[in-house]
Amino acid sequence: EGAFYLFPNISSFGLKDLDFCNRLLETEKVAAVPGSAFGAEGYLRLSYATSDEIIQKGVTRLARFCATLKK
């Protein structure tokens, strides 16, 4: 009875979760679901039900995206 999802808090980036997800998809081609769709505004829902290689690529792209927001 488990799930393969993470819900990181992205509220410190100053974007609504939907805006964050849209920009992440546009710039880095990483799909995430806004936490607000699950009653968790300010969070992302990320699935890790895939290979380690794809997870690593996604994490690298997410980190790159987050770094651009912190500038």
Side-chain angles (χ1 to χ4, degrees), residues 1 4 10 15 20-22 25-26 28 37 42 53 57 67:
E1 290 190 42
F4 300 99
I10 51 98
L15 293 172
F20 188 101
C21 289
N22 287 336
L25 183 60
E26 285 177 21
E28 295 293 342
E53 179 183 351
K57 285 181 184 179

Side-chain angles (χ1 to χ4, degrees), residues 38-68:
F38 302 93
E41 176 72 38
Y43 288 80
L44 301 181
R45 180 180 174 208
L46 300 170
S47 174
Y48 60 93
T50 189
S51 70
D52 289 348
E53 179 183 351
I54 292 173
I55 291 170
Q56 184 59 51
K57 285 181 184 179
V59 168
T60 298
R61 291 176 183 187
L62 178 59
R64 184 171 54 214
F65 177 72
C66 290
T68 66

Side-chain angles (χ1 to χ4, degrees), residues 9 11 13 15 17 29 33 42 49 62 65 67-68:
N9 184 326
S11 60
F13 292 103
L15 293 172
D17 53 4
K29 308 301 184 230
V33 179
L62 178 59
F65 177 72
T68 66

